[in-house]
Amino acid sequence: MAHSILLFGANGQVGHALQTSLARLGTVIACTREQIDFSQSSEDIAAALEVLTQQHKPTIIVNATAYTAVDRAQSEPNLAQRVNATTPGLLARAAQETGACMVHFSTDYVFKGDKLEPYVETDPTDPQSVYGQSKLDGEHAVASACARHLIFRTSWVVSAHGGNFLKTMLKLAQERDTLSVVSDQVGAPTSANLLASVTTQIVRVLAEQPDTDPRWGLYHLVAGGHTNWHAYACYVIAQARQAGWPIKIQDQAIHPIATKDYPVAAPRPLNSRLDTQKLCKAFDLTLPEWRVGVDEVLQALKSPA
Ligand SMILES: NC(=O)c1ccc[n+]([C@@H]2O[C@H](COP(=O)([O-])OP(=O)(O)OC[C@H]3O[C@@H](n4cnc5c(N)ncnc54)[C@H](OP(=O)(O)O)[C@@H]3O)[C@@H](O)[C@H]2O)c1
């Protein structure tokens, strides 16, 4: 069956990658802020959704939109809540009403980050930031409005498209003599391409399955292995140097620092590791190591030298 896929957040890191991968399943209607601004009132969102669903009769609705300015969210809680929770709930309701399934993304920030092992889906949530709380509320809004839903919690997204930590490190490494990077937060950099391709594989399997299929639900989806921000920065900079980027900084001038010495508005989890066994078992997947995705992003960016 060729699907009609409404994709929201098509200009973001993950949305951009999904545009390509979801096209394997049918027609992708790529929606950005221009089609629906997620910060509008619920009435306006519902009216805009009505037009889109009437016109395109979607069989799959995918939401890659999010208010991702984690620190700014601390002072804009209402906006973060609307974009990350209220509007996703309305999309899920529209999916339920039109018979479509709903795909949504969430985050490691729903956890406090004090567990010593990787988090599993059933671990208690305890968001420490406005962003994390809004994303958790978004999970609940989607899950309660649409039975046939998939929610993928991910972490440390990286892509050649859009802004992210890898790109910031590359830029700073070409400009600065020294850098200080947090070394006590652990997680897995996960490429938007990996997220998009796994999402597409799973949606291909599930899109026509009934709501009684036990595979609908919440999953952790991150690349294999783990690192910390400092080691990640060192890896990116070393790889870039080897590939001929005009890197200014010396390796020994990239200093590890503690989270407490890098004050930011929103607290981050120290442990962002997510256990992916539920996903791998349900869909017979093996997820590549995080370096694979990072290498691909570096290759896609290419050296400006
Ligand atoms: N980035 C990460 O490290 C990370 C980590 C864990 C989980 N996640 C989750 O992964 C998913 C995808 O994240 P991402 O990294 O792809 O995010 P992103 O690159 O920041 O993209 C978010 C998209 O949302 C759109 N958006 C924001 N506010 C909007 C509004 N009011 N109305 C309409 N569109 C709006 C943005 O549009 P504009 O381009 O017009 O601004 C952008 O295209 C999100 O659910 C996020 O919470 C991300």
Side-chain angles (χ1 to χ4, degrees):
M1 172 183 178
H3 288 282
S4 171
I5 306 156
L6 271 185
L7 168 64
F8 295 94
N11 277 346
Q13 297 189 84
V14 176
H16 186 259
L18 282 166
Q19 284 193 53
T20 310
S21 63
L22 287 172
R24 291 183 220 124
L25 305 183
T27 305
V28 178
I29 301 98
C31 303
T32 66
R33 211 182 274 268
E34 276 176 33
Q35 280 72 36
I36 295 189
D37 186 329
F38 274 38
S39 64
Q40 291 175 100
S41 71
S42 296
E43 294 71 30
D44 287 344
I45 298 277
L49 273 176
E50 174 74 16
V51 173
L52 280 172
T53 52
Q54 285 294 325
Q55 193 181 349
H56 299 290
K57 309 258 180 293
T59 50
I60 304 167
I61 296 181
V62 181
N63 178 37
T65 304
Y67 180 110
T68 51
V70 174
D71 291 315
R72 192 152 28 100
Q74 294 294 110
S75 52
E76 292 186 329
N78 293 339
L79 181 57
Q81 187 69 14
R82 184 151 281 285
V83 175
N84 290 344
T86 313
T87 303
L90 296 172
L91 298 190
R93 195 173 78 190
Q96 180 71 22
E97 285 171 2
T98 57
C101 62
M102 171 83 195
V103 181
H104 182 68
F105 296 91
S106 189
T107 170
D108 52 301
Y109 282 48
V110 298
F111 295 116
K112 184 172 183 186
D114 59 350
K115 189 181 174 187
L116 299 178
E117 297 296 316
Y119 281 94
V120 295
E121 287 81 352
T122 47
D123 276 328
T125 51
D126 186 9
Q128 300 293 298
S129 61
V130 167
Y131 168 77
Q133 183 64 55
S134 70
K135 293 295 295 180
L136 180 61
D137 292 345
E139 290 182 4
H140 295 154
V142 166
S144 61
C146 181
R148 296 194 318 133
H149 67 268
L150 287 165
I151 299 171
F152 298 114
R153 285 188 189 139
T154 191
S155 71
W156 300 19
V157 177
V158 59
S159 165
H161 176 91
N164 53 57
F165 175 83
L166 178 151
K167 284 189 171 179
T168 304
M169 289 302 116
L170 274 182
K171 181 172 181 291
L172 295 178
Q174 292 171 77
E175 297 169 358
R176 298 255 190 103
D177 293 315
T178 63
L179 263 180
S180 295
V181 188
V182 167
S183 62
D184 56 357
Q185 291 172 26
V186 185
T190 300
S191 83
N193 282 345
L194 175 66
L195 288 166
S197 84
V198 171
T199 298
T200 302
Q201 282 179 59
I202 293 175
V203 170
R204 186 196 290 280
V205 171
L206 276 188
E208 286 159 61
Q209 298 307 312
D211 58 12
T212 49
D213 192 308
R215 292 171 297 178
W216 294 109
L218 171 71
Y219 293 93
H220 290 174
L221 169 48
V222 290
H226 62 93
T227 184
N228 64 67
W229 291 113
H230 174 261
Y232 177 20
C234 290
Y235 179 78
V236 165
I237 292 166
Q239 293 296 101
R241 182 183 285 112
Q242 211 171 27
W245 287 70
I247 299 296
K248 183 177 181 195
I249 199 163
Q250 300 295 312
D251 287 346
Q252 62 275 17
I254 310 168
H255 302 294
I257 55 166
T259 297
K260 67 174 174 43
D261 297 324
Y262 188 75
V264 284
R268 268 68 171 168
L270 288 182
N271 179 15
S272 281
R273 295 180 66 190
L274 300 178
D275 185 311
T276 56
Q277 285 184 63
K278 180 185 173 194
L279 179 101
C280 291
K281 276 191 194 140
F283 301 102
D284 196 20
L285 293 172
T286 305
L287 296 167
E289 232 245 333
W290 64 268
R291 286 183 189 82
V292 174
V294 167
D295 290 349
E296 283 170 8
V297 170
L298 282 168
Q299 221 154 22
L301 287 169
K302 293 206 180 77
S303 166

